[in-house]
Amino acid sequence: MRNYLKHYINGEWVESTGNETEEVINPATEEVIGTISLGTKEDLDKAVQAARDAFPSFSKTPKEERIKLLENIAAEYENRKEEIIETITAELGSPKSISENVHYMMGYNHFSQAAESLRDFSFIEDRGGHTVMKDSVGVSGLITPWNFPTNQISTKIASAFAAGSPVVAKPAELTPFAAIILTEIFDKVGVPKGAFNLVNGSGSVIGDGISSHPDIDFVSFTGSGAVGQKIMQNASERIANVALELGGKSPLVVLEDADVENAARAAVSHIATNSGQVCSAATRVLVPSSMKDSFEEAIKKVLPEFPVGDPQGDNHIGPLVSQKQWNTVQSYIEKGQEEGATLLVGGTGKPEGLDKGYYAKPTVFTNVNNDMVIAQEEIFGPVTCLITYDTIEEAIEISNDVKYGLAGYVFGEDEQTLAKVASSIRAGRVKINDAEADFAAPFGGYKQSGIGREWGDYGIEEYLEVKTVLGYPKM
């Protein structure tokens, strides 16, 4: 049982000023695995003051010192590997292989990449007639989601530290323990007092408190569009900077010359990995009309490669994070059937033999029109839609006919067609033929998928203000 009833403020674990707590549930067993304290406005004020006090010195630390700090964090993160994997598996229900190869690795890569990006990062540039300087934005408030307990919080913190910005962080109540391990790592490697502060709590108290706090200069949020709108409203009252990484309904365009089985396997992997609880997942699969039957058969053929079950076992798909999320996914599957889409595989209810835990059936709809609710709204579960097209122009039009623009995917062989489709998709990140991830590449979205970019040097830029100096002495 993990009981964490303290917050981390000004370099110390301190008691909350309130007495409210919340239980954390293992979604695979539906059992309580720990408790956190729900912070108060007073707790948040103390954390913000600590960060504000740390700002003058932390923002002026030499670049080499910040690089070393990030390297030390990455090294200690490696030392805690097994505990991080075990914790994410317990609090998120992620299968151990995914906890290791996705969640653990993404956290590590963000810290190591931030150190690497910082080496070549220039905070001052002589432009002849003027000099451009980049200063730390100030105190940053970070609000992170439950679906990637190390990924989003790590990229935000790594970029903030690289830029010299002190942080006040609020992890999600559903998956708080990985963030607590990160905090212990920061404490061990000697992150300066006040440069990092962690306050657990609810979105209505700590989340709203961060986005509306007069002494927080910049807010970075990953989560739902509705909450993102509220954060923008709160921040607008004091003209504070915000960065938002919100939802997605990403297309996977399968071209005529694509390998059908490989493309089908990629399509299934998008709803299987992290149980489909991925904002950038491809959940609209666009296939040529002539390929429809063979693609459907390929989906049914490859699906057994992604077994559902106990995350402690050799499975690829674990449970959804909570009963609430399970109910939401079920309602969308019901909606798809009501709209007239055809169930190719899956459906409502739990997979056979899995009565305990928030498990959902991997579900693929076919005969889907892009104006259906299941094709327009983010489901955030193991559900995808097959949509047919007749021309490349139609595929591009369908790809862009949603309010989101976080990611896109293209599968095929002809390089000119691949390039045409990839460059035409209105999204912040497009992958061709399952290209490898690059943690130096910017990540973020168009349209209602968000504002700003994370990862690498673009991530560092988010935590900086640009200053122009005229007549600056030449060095």
Side-chain angles (χ1 to χ4, degrees), residues 2-3 43 67 296 298 320 329 401 415 434 451 456:
R2 299 171 169 90
N3 292 308
D43 295 326
I67 291 171
E296 289 176 354
L320 296 169
V329 171
D401 187 21
E415 292 186 354
D434 245 359
I451 299 170

Side-chain angles (χ1 to χ4, degrees), residues 78-117:
E78 279 191 292
N79 292 338
R80 303 288 292 271
K81 177 179 179 178
E82 294 306 318
E83 187 179 357
I84 292 170
I85 293 169
E86 177 190 340
T87 297
I88 293 173
T89 298
E91 67 181 357
L92 181 61
S94 170
K96 293 189 77 171
S97 60
I98 304 299
S99 295
E100 177 176 2
N101 298 322
V102 178
H103 294 283
Y104 166 79
M105 285 307 305
M106 291 188 85
Y108 174 80
N109 285 330
H110 285 310
F111 288 113
S112 58
Q113 181 60 57
E116 189 63 30
S117 296

Side-chain angles (χ1 to χ4, degrees), residues 149-418:
T150 55
N151 174 34
Q152 278 103 340
I153 195 168
S154 293
T155 189
K156 294 177 194 299
I157 294 168
S159 295
F161 284 177
S165 170
V167 162
V168 177
K170 186 204 98 65
E173 304 100 292
L174 290 174
T175 57
F177 296 139
I180 289 170
I181 294 175
L182 280 178
T183 305
E184 292 172 350
I185 290 169
F186 301 153
D187 187 71
K188 182 165 184 179
V189 303
V191 171
K193 285 189 174 184
F196 178 81
N197 304 274
L198 179 85
V199 181
N200 279 306
S202 67
S204 60
V205 176
I206 305 302
D208 279 356
I210 286 175
S211 60
S212 59
H213 204 289
D215 288 326
I216 288 181
D217 304 288
F218 172 68
V219 179
S220 181
F221 168 76
T222 300
S224 72
V227 177
Q229 289 177 336
K230 179 69 179 300
I231 286 169
M232 286 190 72
Q233 291 170 358
N234 288 345
S236 69
E237 294 181 4
R238 63 185 197 285
I239 322 296
N241 290 330
V242 298
L244 306 173
E245 200 265 275
L246 307 174
K249 196 68 181 177
S250 302
L252 189 161
V253 181
V254 182
L255 303 179
E256 288 275 6
D257 58 357
D259 182 293
V260 176
E261 189 169 312
N262 284 343
R265 185 173 290 106
V268 173
S269 74
H270 275 269
I271 61 168
T273 301
N274 220 40
S275 302
Q277 299 168 133
V278 183
C279 53
S280 58
T283 51
R284 293 180 300 140
V285 183
L286 281 58
V287 299
S289 297
S290 60
M291 190 188 289
K292 179 176 182 289
D293 291 344
S294 60
F295 197 88
E296 289 176 354
E297 289 305 310
I299 287 284
K300 289 187 281 189
K301 179 182 178 181
V302 303
L303 191 61
E305 298 175 15
F306 302 87
V308 185
D310 184 355
Q312 298 292 341
D314 189 20
N315 293 300
H316 193 94
I317 307 175
L320 296 169
V321 74
S322 67
Q323 181 70 56
K324 179 182 178 182
Q325 189 62 24
W326 190 87
N327 290 340
T328 296
V329 171
Q330 299 305 302
S331 70
Y332 274 110
I333 296 174
E334 291 171 359
K335 184 65 176 178
Q337 294 174 283
E338 292 170 5
E339 291 181 304
T342 303
L343 272 175
L344 180 66
V345 296
T348 54
K350 295 183 179 181
E352 187 176 351
L354 294 172
D355 298 325
K356 180 176 284 189
Y358 310 125
Y359 295 95
K361 298 175 184 176
T363 297
V364 179
F365 282 103
T366 187
N367 298 321
V368 176
N369 295 320
N370 198 54
D371 58 356
M372 290 181 177
V373 169
I374 58 170
Q376 288 290 317
E377 296 185 9
E378 186 176 44
I379 298 173
F380 228 57
V383 182
T384 197
C385 305
L386 300 188
I387 303 171
T388 57
Y389 69 89
D390 294 317
T391 67
I392 292 298
E393 289 69 28
E394 184 185 4
I396 292 169
E397 181 181 355
I398 294 170
S399 294
N400 293 329
D401 187 21
V402 287
K403 66 183 179 181
Y404 297 110
L406 187 56
Y409 305 84
V410 192
F411 271 80
E413 296 296 330
D414 183 74
E415 292 186 354
Q416 285 189 329
T417 308
L418 287 167

